[in-house]
Amino acid sequence: MSDLGLSLRRPRPEDAAAIWRLLPAIGGLERNTAYAYLLLCSHFADTSIVAERGGEVVGFVAGYRPPTQPDAVFVWQVGVAPSARGEGLGGRMLDGVLAMPGCRDVRYLTATVSPDNEASLALFRAFARRRQVPCEEGPGFPAPLFPEPHPDENLIRIGPLAAPSRKESHADHR
Ligand SMILES: CC(C)(COP(=O)(O)OP(=O)(O)OC[C@H]1O[C@@H](n2cnc3c(N)ncnc32)[C@H](O)[C@@H]1OP(=O)(O)O)[C@@H](O)C(=O)NCCC(=O)NCCS
């Protein structure tokens, strides 16, 4: 998938270091270990995506299928470089993840969002609006669960999502 110099594709282990380096510039996202992004770019590559422009990683979605919720994909992190924001890239990456073979039978997109993260809330609400499905918000991981000061992480649950069209189900960002 490519336009305006942007291409979206399945992550490769070689992308992990680039994602890890990009995180401070993205801001608002916890920077996990480089090893965690290696897991993302290998074990969870079928439910994650990277966006590149000019050979540089400018965005990513880290997603996985929670074993306890087999009909869902959980979006653990979504980030867009400041230089690529406001162009619809965040929304396109969510669409891209849902179109991947690893999400073929997904009915719900779930995520947690801090109540003060307006951009993130707007991104998920816009995704639900485009798909014309409810976006429910409820308790997720409340602040006291964290060992250090941390805002509440409220749960977002979007769906039920329609089964992919024949065309979408053949999308394959490899
Ligand atoms: C959240 C983020 C990924 C959005 O990326 P983006 O590519 O700019 O988003 P899009 O252009 O696809 O916009 C999606 C929707 O969000 C809205 N939006 C984007 N940034 C916004 C902001 N700062 N404030 C309010 N709304 C915003 C857009 O208007 C659009 O809604 P619309 O379709 O109703 O117009 C990006 O701001 C980011 O990386 N933030 C820091 C990391 C983060 O907080 N990630 C989320 C938590 S996991």
Side-chain angles (χ1 to χ4, degrees):
M1 193 190 329
S2 169
D3 68 68
L4 299 171
L6 276 170
S7 62
L8 270 56
R9 63 169 172 77
R10 183 181 192 271
R12 300 188 279 261
E14 292 75 15
D15 297 315
I19 293 170
W20 185 84
R21 283 195 203 99
L22 182 62
L23 273 144
I26 290 176
L29 286 182
E30 200 166 337
R31 189 198 216 185
N32 297 285
T33 63
Y35 190 89
Y37 294 102
L38 274 169
L39 294 179
L40 160 73
C41 293
S42 50
H43 296 184
F44 301 129
D46 283 344
T47 50
S48 299
I49 209 157
V50 293
E52 272 184 325
R53 179 181 272 159
E56 300 287 323
V57 172
V58 293
F60 75 101
V61 173
Y64 67 90
R65 303 288 301 270
T68 49
Q69 298 151 39
D71 60 352
V73 60
F74 180 76
V75 171
W76 169 41
Q77 287 190 321
V78 48
V80 170
S83 63
R85 284 190 195 152
E87 302 176 31
L89 178 57
R92 281 182 56 200
M93 291 197 298
L94 293 182
D95 289 341
V97 166
L98 264 292
M100 293 181 79
C103 288
R104 196 167 280 141
D105 54 345
V106 158
R107 306 285 322 277
Y108 293 92
L109 184 155
T110 58
T112 68
V113 174
S114 308
D116 61 349
N117 193 335
E118 288 177 20
S120 180
L121 277 168
L123 171 74
F124 289 116
R125 286 175 182 157
F127 174 86
R129 207 166 48 245
R130 279 202 312 283
R131 305 253 170 168
Q132 298 182 295
V133 293
C135 178
E136 292 169 8
E137 296 172 29
F141 300 127
L145 291 180
F146 293 91
E148 292 176 326
H150 194 292
D152 289 331
E153 289 279 350
N154 292 340
L155 184 69
I156 299 265
R157 185 171 181 262
I158 298 171
L161 299 163
S165 68
R166 192 170 170 76
K167 190 171 153 226
E168 278 177 334
S169 69
H170 289 170
D172 180 347
H173 304 284
R174 282 164 206 252

